[in-house]
Amino acid sequence: MTEDHTAADVPPQEEVDVPALEVRELTVRFAGLTALDAVSFTVGPGTVHAVIGPNGAGKSTCFNVLSGVYRATGGSVRFGEHELTAMPPHRIADLGVARIFQNLALPPRATVADSLMLGRHRLTRTGFLAAGLRLPSAAREERVHRERVREIAAFVGIEHQLHAPAGSLPYGQQKLAELARALCMEPRLLLLDEPVAGMTADERRRTAAVIAGVRDSLGISIVLVEHDMGVVMRLADAVTVLDFGRRIADGAPAAVQNDPAVVRAYLGEEATS
């Protein structure tokens, strides 16, 4: 691994307006089972907001509503002027919302470069016919996108693997490639579902540094679900804690960490050590 990136190392992108994400009274029921029960929280522009809780607390359900995979039974999710709860996933992505799933989702035989190019799809202006005929305008646009892919790959530390099959990379680097692909969308809101799960200590440290750099230099809002409490406490500006589908705490990391309800529900001995 190379040394951690600093904020200055983050590749520049066009300045974007990042609105608040406002979750209000969000409720999700499945066949009579309440997975989320009137959950509310606000993700401030350019902040890292962690959603934590024990297994079955409703974290993944919340993420699935934010990204359009699940429909809410009630409540509202607003990203600026846009109501997300009725939108399909591709419309939400078009608003600049990118998600990294807990499980790897890279095409294993495609090169890392081509996998990252998938993240540029929503930004491509060349039509299908022009691209198929390899017209000069299409070739110019592809060169611009591939240069951007190279910059982002360099930022996350995988520039030397761009021509390798994505499936041949070690697990930690595949997770970094997925983060790079999400960044290739030039998102305004990044949803990270356990981004350091399964990584070594060194990989976790590096990935956390990348996430911090993205927040600090690009101003992107980040919603983070993560079981590694060290990463959560280092990165998060605010934390929402769920338990059995309900919000039991919300606030600054230090305050949440010492909340008795959180200690009982999730942190256990970690909060008192």
Side-chain angles (χ1 to χ4, degrees):
M1 286 287 182
T2 57
E3 62 182 349
D4 286 343
H5 285 280
T6 62
D9 294 316
V10 182
Q13 68 177 37
E14 292 183 10
E15 187 173 341
V16 293
D17 174 41
V18 179
L21 176 73
E22 299 180 359
V23 178
R24 295 289 176 266
E25 301 292 316
L26 187 63
T27 299
V28 178
R29 296 189 182 94
F30 300 109
L33 174 67
T34 301
L36 288 178
D37 188 1
V39 170
S40 297
F41 60 88
T42 298
V43 180
T47 65
V48 175
H49 194 112
V51 179
I52 68 173
N55 290 333
K59 306 182 299 296
S60 294
T61 299
C62 182
F63 255 42
N64 283 331
V65 174
L66 298 183
S67 56
V69 177
Y70 290 169
R71 290 292 180 92
T73 306
S76 172
V77 178
R78 296 195 66 84
F79 188 47
E81 63 183 17
H82 300 281
E83 173 61 49
L84 304 188
T85 53
M87 285 188 183
H90 72 274
R91 287 284 311 283
I92 294 176
D94 285 342
L95 295 176
V97 178
R99 176 178 178 176
I100 295 178
F101 289 84
Q102 181 178 350
N103 298 320
L104 292 171
L106 293 170
R109 293 184 176 83
T111 66
V112 172
D114 287 343
S115 296
L116 267 56
M117 279 291 287
L118 294 174
R120 307 297 294 176
H121 175 72
R122 81 176 188 92
L123 305 171
T124 300
R125 300 291 178 259
T126 301
F128 175 78
L129 182 60
L133 295 175
R134 303 295 298 168
L135 297 181
S137 60
R140 284 194 298 271
E141 184 178 37
E142 182 176 356
R143 284 196 298 272
V144 170
H145 285 308
R146 289 202 175 270
E147 175 58 22
R148 186 65 173 148
V149 160
R150 188 198 62 76
E151 291 175 349
I152 292 172
F155 169 59
V156 304
I158 58 170
E159 69 272 28
H160 299 304
Q161 284 78 35
L162 280 172
H163 300 295
S168 70
L169 269 60
Y171 176 80
Q173 290 193 348
Q174 288 191 51
K175 295 280 281 188
L176 285 173
E178 290 202 329
L179 175 57
R181 183 172 63 175
L183 291 176
C184 282
M185 290 179 59
E186 312 285 359
R188 300 191 294 168
L189 174 65
L190 194 56
L191 307 177
L192 302 181
D193 192 354
E194 299 195 31
V196 304
M199 289 186 176
T200 66
D202 188 54
E203 290 168 339
R204 290 197 300 271
R205 176 183 56 80
R206 182 172 183 80
T207 301
V210 172
I211 295 169
V214 169
R215 185 267 314 274
D216 294 341
S217 291
L218 300 184
I220 294 172
S221 300
I222 298 171
V223 183
L224 171 71
V225 166
E226 181 52 62
H227 284 293
D228 186 321
M229 295 310 301
V231 170
V232 169
M233 294 301 157
R234 286 198 302 273
L235 287 178
D237 300 294
V239 179
T240 296
V241 187
L242 303 180
D243 191 27
F244 294 107
R246 296 182 178 180
R247 190 190 77 178
I248 62 170
D250 186 82
V256 166
Q257 188 178 31
N258 294 309
D259 188 302
V262 176
V263 174
R264 288 192 301 270
Y266 184 56
L267 297 178
E269 295 180 359
E270 291 184 37
T272 58
S273 59

